[in-house]
Amino acid sequence: MQQNEIHKFTVTGINNEGEGLVRIGEENFVVFIPDSLPGEIVECRIVTKKKNYAIAKVIKRENESKVRRTPKCNDFYRCGGCQLQHISYDYQLEIKKQTVYDSLTRIAGISEPIVMECEKSPNEWNYRNKASLPVQSFKDDSFKIGFYKTRSHNIVPFSNCPVLLDKLEIKAKNVIKVLRENGYTGVFPFKNNRLQIKHIVIRVTKFSNKSLCAIIGNRELTKDELNMLSNIARKDLNFFDSIIYNTNTSDGNFIWGDKDTQILGDKSIFEKLDTFEFEFEASSFFQINSEQTINLYKEAQKAALSDNPVKILELYSGVGSLTAFLAERGAIVTAVESWEPAAKYSNKNAFNNKQINIKNITGKAEEIILDLKNEKFDVVVLDPPRTGCDMEVINFINIIGPQKIVYVSCNPATLARDIKRLGENYKLEYAKPFDMFPQTCHVETVVLMSRVAPTK
């Protein structure tokens, strides 16, 4: 098999990104075929050939899988935001359950793990409460804004997005129009001293009907630029409750800089989840599917509180949203978060929710645990970023020996890796996937583990 060769394949499998695949020969050489589904017979061209795999492009499809459907978004085949819109929703849920199962068997080495059905989202469409839109500048469009194409930093211009909350989509279109009409430009391919908008981040709340817009620029505003933006905000962008300007002088891919300038309203907004209310800023982590978040947190709460624990340690606690659910029945919760813009709201949210049994600590989990190594916790709850837990955190858990671990993960691979690291002292009771991100390959999982070895 060589690059540019034409082949005909019957697709036999699918990966977690919605790409069809074929395994060839005894060595299971894999050909990945985007926009193909199991059971389809496709004629395709080999576009990439590596030692252990190849990538092919469909030229002609002789039949269509029964799970194939027409994507709702006109930009689906260009935009990298969604990967599964061409697949029926029920089959998306099957893929996500299988992704979790495969990670636990292949990476964690667990034989026949208990993986429950993937919890479907209350809404398959119009669920997302946050949009992060990069902005670039070109000769033909000085304010090119949208989402990145798959595996690139080339922008697909924003027209509409069926996974966004309707009110978010409307606000996004309006702010783009206003900024473009007022002569703002995106990031140039070359450096200069002109004010350049790098990102627009928009957040709306599902239940409390609040909205926030963050405009991220390449340098601080001059006095005149600040006055101009403030005037525009009061006149044409007052459909937002809050607008901030964030200065990010870095050349990296991280969206946020260190300095916020308030343009309109307050820096924060509020959202209500179940009986709790939470305040957070533009850069704070807050789950993007508010309705499904309640289901996820209640599952984590049930797993953590089933044996009436007295003391709970929560690492990677954000603004304290899951913390509130863990503290609801009186357990003392020590919550640790490193990102200052999120952590500073933890105490506020505990106070506003009248939960005096929460102790918030700001700092990196792998550093804070050094001061906690002599404390006894009945349950440890983990909700780390996609990279999973630092090895020092895993070692700490093995040393203090809580009876249960509840792990909330957005990445099945790092989840399985960390479970394997804990496997000598803990066994997996079950994994429960949640579809927090319909139409995408991402899946959130709640895992319960129980101690099988005596505390050292």
Side-chain angles (χ1 to χ4, degrees), residues 175 178-179 182 184 213 215 223-244 261-266:
V175 73
V178 169
L179 293 178
N182 280 276
Y184 288 93
C213 177
I215 301 169
K223 184 176 180 180
D224 287 343
E225 288 168 342
L226 175 58
N227 289 336
M228 178 182 173
L229 185 55
S230 297
N231 289 334
I232 292 169
R234 287 192 297 269
K235 179 183 175 183
D236 299 319
L237 297 176
N238 54 18
F239 48 85
F240 285 105
D241 295 292
S242 175
I243 299 176
I244 67 163
T261 303
Q262 197 59 31
I263 305 299
L264 180 73
D266 297 323

Side-chain angles (χ1 to χ4, degrees), residues 22-74:
V22 177
R23 298 185 185 275
I24 300 173
E26 293 182 358
E27 296 182 354
N28 279 329
F29 182 86
V30 180
V31 182
F32 297 102
I33 314 171
D35 194 26
S36 70
L37 296 173
E40 293 182 342
I41 301 172
V42 294
E43 183 179 317
C44 54
R45 176 183 286 108
I46 304 299
V47 295
T48 301
K49 170 66 166 57
K50 301 292 183 180
K51 181 179 179 180
N52 298 317
Y53 73 92
I55 300 174
K57 181 178 180 180
V58 173
I59 300 172
K60 184 173 68 173
R61 190 181 299 109
E62 294 188 2
N63 64 315
E64 289 197 349
S65 167
K66 64 181 181 180
V67 301
R68 179 178 288 278
R69 66 179 182 182
T70 302
K72 197 169 184 177
C73 178
N74 293 331

Side-chain angles (χ1 to χ4, degrees), residues 181-296:
E181 288 177 348
N182 280 276
Y184 288 93
T185 61
V187 177
F188 287 81
F190 52 88
K191 284 190 175 183
N192 60 39
N193 292 324
R194 185 174 178 178
L195 175 63
Q196 301 168 28
I197 305 302
K198 304 177 77 170
H199 266 85
I200 303 293
V201 176
I202 302 170
R203 307 187 78 152
V204 301
T205 56
K206 170 73 177 181
F207 299 112
S208 59
N209 199 31
K210 300 295 181 182
S211 61
L212 183 156
C213 177
I215 301 169
I216 296 93
N218 65 321
R219 60 167 173 78
E220 289 191 34
L221 298 172
T222 66
K223 184 176 180 180
D224 287 343
E225 288 168 342
L226 175 58
N227 289 336
M228 178 182 173
L229 185 55
S230 297
N231 289 334
I232 292 169
R234 287 192 297 269
K235 179 183 175 183
D236 299 319
L237 297 176
N238 54 18
F239 48 85
F240 285 105
D241 295 292
S242 175
I243 299 176
I244 67 163
Y245 176 85
N246 176 266
T247 303
N248 183 359
T249 59
S250 170
D251 292 330
N253 294 325
F254 188 63
I255 292 176
W256 302 101
D258 294 329
K259 182 178 180 181
D260 288 339
T261 303
Q262 197 59 31
I263 305 299
L264 180 73
D266 297 323
K267 283 189 176 182
S268 59
I269 55 175
F270 291 85
E271 175 62 305
K272 189 171 184 180
L273 297 179
D274 200 38
T275 60
F276 304 110
E277 187 174 72
F278 303 102
E279 182 180 359
F280 56 93
E281 289 184 1
S283 65
S284 302
F285 174 78
F286 200 82
Q287 293 281 6
I288 57 92
N289 185 338
S290 296
E291 290 180 284
Q292 185 73 317
T293 297
I294 297 172
N295 297 328
L296 177 82

Side-chain angles (χ1 to χ4, degrees), residues 33-223:
I33 314 171
D35 194 26
S36 70
L37 296 173
E40 293 182 342
I41 301 172
V42 294
E43 183 179 317
C44 54
R45 176 183 286 108
I46 304 299
V47 295
T48 301
K49 170 66 166 57
K50 301 292 183 180
K51 181 179 179 180
N52 298 317
Y53 73 92
I55 300 174
K57 181 178 180 180
V58 173
I59 300 172
K60 184 173 68 173
R61 190 181 299 109
E62 294 188 2
N63 64 315
E64 289 197 349
S65 167
K66 64 181 181 180
V67 301
R68 179 178 288 278
R69 66 179 182 182
T70 302
K72 197 169 184 177
C73 178
N74 293 331
D75 293 321
F76 169 70
Y77 290 107
R78 297 193 302 148
C79 177
C82 295
Q83 301 81 38
L84 307 181
Q85 278 194 31
H86 64 307
I87 299 173
S88 72
Y89 189 51
D90 285 344
Y91 195 59
Q92 289 185 37
L93 298 175
E94 290 182 30
I95 292 172
K96 295 182 181 189
K97 176 184 176 181
Q98 191 64 44
T99 298
V100 175
Y101 184 91
D102 290 345
S103 294
L104 293 174
T105 54
R106 295 175 185 174
I107 300 174
I110 300 173
S111 176
E112 298 183 357
I114 297 174
V115 180
M116 300 180 181
E117 297 300 318
C118 185
E119 181 84 12
K120 65 166 57 178
S121 172
N123 286 298
E124 179 186 349
W125 306 98
N126 306 119
Y127 63 86
R128 191 177 178 94
N129 60 31
K130 177 184 176 183
S132 300
L133 304 169
V135 194
Q136 296 173 359
S137 183
F138 298 93
K139 287 183 178 180
D140 61 336
D141 187 352
S142 62
F143 199 80
K144 190 172 186 179
I145 181 169
F147 297 109
Y148 288 130
K149 292 182 180 178
T150 304
R151 298 184 181 92
S152 85
H153 281 166
N154 298 322
I155 289 177
V156 179
F158 182 86
S159 56
N160 60 19
C161 181
V163 299
L164 298 182
L165 288 170
D166 288 335
K167 54 189 176 182
L168 194 162
E169 184 179 76
I170 292 170
K171 290 179 187 296
K173 290 178 179 179
N174 286 335
V175 73
I176 291 169
K177 179 176 182 292
V178 169
L179 293 178
R180 180 178 281 127
E181 288 177 348
N182 280 276
Y184 288 93
T185 61
V187 177
F188 287 81
F190 52 88
K191 284 190 175 183
N192 60 39
N193 292 324
R194 185 174 178 178
L195 175 63
Q196 301 168 28
I197 305 302
K198 304 177 77 170
H199 266 85
I200 303 293
V201 176
I202 302 170
R203 307 187 78 152
V204 301
T205 56
K206 170 73 177 181
F207 299 112
S208 59
N209 199 31
K210 300 295 181 182
S211 61
L212 183 156
C213 177
I215 301 169
I216 296 93
N218 65 321
R219 60 167 173 78
E220 289 191 34
L221 298 172
T222 66
K223 184 176 180 180

Side-chain angles (χ1 to χ4, degrees), residues 273-278 301 305 314 319-333 335 345-360:
L273 297 179
D274 200 38
T275 60
F276 304 110
E277 187 174 72
F278 303 102
Q301 179 194 58
L305 304 185
E314 182 193 7
V319 299
S321 49
L322 174 55
T323 315
F325 286 78
L326 298 174
E328 186 175 26
R329 299 177 194 168
I332 299 170
V333 181
Y345 287 101
S346 300
N347 283 322
K348 279 188 175 184
N349 290 328
F351 178 82
N352 291 339
N353 290 312
K354 298 180 174 59
Q355 293 181 307
I356 61 173
N357 52 320
I358 295 174
K359 177 185 177 183
N360 290 296

